Amino acid sequence: MTGVFEMSMFKIGSGPNNVKDIRLIPTSTVEVHSSLQVSAVPHTTDSNDPLADAFWFNAKEVRKMLENCTAQFPGFAEYHDDVMDKIRDFYNEYYIGRFSGKYNPWSVCSFLQKLCDNLPLCPQLDQATVTGVIKSSTQQFWVKTGSTKLIMDQCKRYRDKATGLLNKLVVEYEERNYQTTEVQLAPRPTLPKSISLGDANLATSYFEGSQFSHTAFLSICLQAGYLTRRTASTVCIPNEELVLVWRNMLKDLVIGLS
């Protein structure tokens, strides 16, 4: 097993034997529209997509974890919806196969551990205190497991083209999440806006070439976990945890940090 993403065999591994390709990635926008299921429905037995919902957490699993790990704090249950809203904003919106709304397991588990570490320090549980605890427990857990240096080095190498691409990623994310009316926040669309990935294979030769490759750059960012797939050929920024990374990289490019 090499993972859930298609990988070219160029320089990064030998040719495998006896491979059975169990596809978790929809092949077209039409397929997504026709079969997308929100992952609040746990673990489908659909023979066309037998493993997709076994990866990452769905909403019911996250809520159950929250209930279990905070059961020792009387009165906290009334704030579960507030916690779920924060988790959804920061660690949700990954697309795995037909399923939207998947949660990053590492970030969710790390957040809940931090939350349970902070709750005993609260003198009382009221709205203001709980809001502060939730805020202090929300961190970029996934980002801290690695480094953006490799990505940022390529951005600086091709500053002009990379700046345009990063700006498009961030703008499309913000349009998806922050469009407002005079009354309330606009609802999120069923399918997020995204930009074309092109060839889905990871082009490792990108780092040796002299030209900026839109496809290879996005593929590398996808493989590193900084983007999520929408279909086999499109990607987007999934959530607040990741958009903070992209904003910081874009800021560094625009102001010309070395």
Side-chain angles (χ1 to χ4, degrees):
M1 174 178 285
T2 60
V4 298
F5 299 125
E6 297 168 296
M7 299 283 288
S8 64
M9 291 295 106
F10 179 75
K11 293 188 178 181
I12 59 174
S14 59
N17 298 319
N18 304 317
V19 171
K20 180 175 177 61
D21 183 15
I22 304 176
R23 295 191 60 82
L24 305 181
I25 303 168
T27 57
S28 68
T29 302
V30 173
E31 181 180 336
V32 175
H33 277 291
S34 64
S35 62
L36 186 69
Q37 294 184 11
V38 176
S39 63
V41 181
H43 306 307
T44 179
T45 57
D46 190 329
S47 59
N48 294 322
D49 202 2
L51 296 179
D53 198 32
F55 292 90
W56 300 44
F57 293 153
N58 62 43
K60 287 188 175 181
E61 292 167 333
V62 174
R63 181 171 282 275
K64 186 63 175 177
M65 292 168 61
L66 173 63
E67 292 170 353
N68 289 344
C69 74
T70 60
Q72 60 181 308
F73 304 105
F76 189 72
E78 65 180 281
Y79 301 106
H80 281 179
D81 287 345
D82 295 337
V83 179
M84 287 298 297
D85 286 344
K86 181 62 72 172
I87 295 175
R88 187 179 304 110
D89 288 341
F90 267 77
Y91 312 124
N92 187 220
E93 293 297 339
Y94 291 93
Y95 281 67
I96 306 295
R98 296 182 295 112
F99 290 85
S100 66
K102 301 295 282 189
Y103 292 76
N104 184 319
W106 175 261
S107 293
V108 169
C109 290
S110 299
F111 170 87
L112 292 175
Q113 181 179 18
K114 181 68 69 173
L115 180 69
C116 290
D117 289 342
N118 289 336
L119 281 174
L121 305 178
C122 298
Q124 60 184 5
L125 291 179
D126 54 33
Q127 185 64 59
T129 302
V130 170
T131 299
V133 169
I134 295 173
K135 182 177 180 180
S136 64
S137 302
T138 306
Q139 300 178 16
Q140 293 177 279
F141 297 107
W142 171 249
V143 176
K144 292 178 181 178
T145 65
S147 169
T148 61
K149 184 180 185 302
L150 184 65
I151 297 173
M152 196 61 199
D153 285 347
Q154 299 308 304
C155 288
K156 292 175 180 177
R157 183 180 178 187
Y158 307 104
R159 188 179 299 271
D160 290 342
K161 292 182 178 179
T163 299
L165 182 56
L166 266 62
N167 184 66
K168 185 174 183 181
L169 280 167
V170 172
V171 167
E172 288 184 343
Y173 176 87
E174 291 176 344
E175 287 179 350
R176 181 169 88 242
N177 289 276
Y178 302 128
Q179 286 180 338
T180 59
T181 65
E182 293 180 358
V183 179
Q184 60 183 357
L185 188 69
R188 294 180 180 178
T190 302
L191 291 174
K193 293 183 178 180
S194 57
I195 58 180
S196 176
L197 176 62
D199 182 1
N201 286 333
L202 180 65
T204 55
S205 58
Y206 167 56
F207 291 100
E208 301 172 0
S210 59
Q211 301 295 321
F212 181 81
S213 170
H214 174 282
T215 295
F217 180 82
L218 293 179
S219 297
I220 291 166
C221 294
L222 173 67
Q223 185 66 26
Y226 293 99
L227 297 171
T228 185
R229 285 186 186 269
R230 170 186 150 184
T231 69
S233 60
T234 57
V235 293
C236 60
I237 300 173
N239 52 46
E240 288 292 302
E241 180 180 29
L242 274 303
V243 79
L244 291 173
V245 177
W246 289 102
R247 285 177 184 146
N248 286 335
M249 288 195 292
L250 180 59
K251 181 180 69 174
D252 288 352
L253 288 176
V254 170
I255 65 178
L257 292 179
S258 59

